C-alpha cells in the first residue's frame, strides 16, 4: 500500500519539475550563470541570481578569472524566457542549454 488513493493520478515527474522551476523563478532565482572550460569537462552550472545585471557581472568575472582560474566562456540564461541573454568568451553551441532559443543570444 502506497498511502495514495486508488484513483490518484501518477506523477511522471514533469509536474514536479515544473513546480520546482516556478518556485525558483518566483524565489528570485531567475538568471543562471553557466561556465564553460574545455580543459575542465565542459559546461558547469554556477549560481542563480535575481537580476540579469548581477548575473552578467558574475559571468564576466568567471571569464576574467577574478576569484579563481579563468573559464573559456560564461553565459547568463533566463529561466523564465528560456533564452541566453548574455554570452562572454568562447562557449560552443553544443555545450549551451538545450531548451534555449537560438538566434537571441546577445554577445558581450
Amino acid at each position: 500500500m502506497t498511502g495514495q488513493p486508488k484513483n490518484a493520478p501518477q506523477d511522471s515527474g514533469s509536474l514536479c519539475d515544473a513546480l520546482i522551476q516556478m518556485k525558483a523563478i518566483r524565489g528570485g532565482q531567475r538568471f543562471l550563470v553557466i561556465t564553460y572550460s574545455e580543459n575542465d569537462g565542459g559546461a558547469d552550472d554556477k549560481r542563480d541570481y535575481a537580476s540579469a545585471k548581477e548575473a552578467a557581472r558574475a559571468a564576466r568575472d568567471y571569464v576574467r578569472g577574478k576569484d579563481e582560474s579563468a573559464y573559456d566562456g560564461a553565459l547568463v540564461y533566463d529561466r523564465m524566457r528560456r533564452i541566453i541573454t548574455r554570452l562572454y568568451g568562447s562557449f560552443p553551441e553544443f555545450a549551451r542549454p538545450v531548451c534555449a532559443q537560438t538566434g537571441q543570444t546577445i554577445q558581450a
Side-chain angles (χ1 to χ4, degrees):
M1 195 109 197
T2 62
Q4 292 183 350
K6 224 182 224 186
N7 297 331
Q10 297 298 318
D11 184 11
S12 66
S14 61
L15 177 60
C16 187
D17 292 342
L19 290 173
I20 290 170
Q21 183 179 11
M22 284 175 34
K23 182 179 178 184
I25 291 168
R26 287 185 180 165
Q29 301 172 359
R30 177 176 170 177
F31 299 96
L32 172 64
V33 173
I34 304 172
T35 59
Y36 179 79
S37 176
E38 189 173 327
N39 299 330
D40 196 22
D44 187 28
D45 293 359
K46 290 298 183 183
R47 290 190 52 203
D48 298 319
Y49 294 88
S51 75
K53 185 177 180 179
E54 289 175 312
R57 183 179 303 122
R60 281 191 309 267
D61 288 346
Y62 281 117
V63 173
R64 291 178 185 155
K66 184 176 178 181
D67 294 330
E68 54 190 77
S69 61
Y71 289 87
D72 297 331
L75 61 82
V76 177
Y77 178 70
D78 183 337
R79 292 177 182 224
M80 188 165 73
R81 293 174 45 211
R82 293 185 173 192
I83 62 170
I84 298 168
T85 60
R86 295 280 188 263
L87 179 64
Y88 301 94
S90 173
F91 208 113
E93 285 281 333
F94 69 85
R96 296 177 189 178
V98 175
C99 55
Q101 297 175 9
T102 57
Q104 297 188 18
T105 302
I106 300 169
Q107 282 297 122

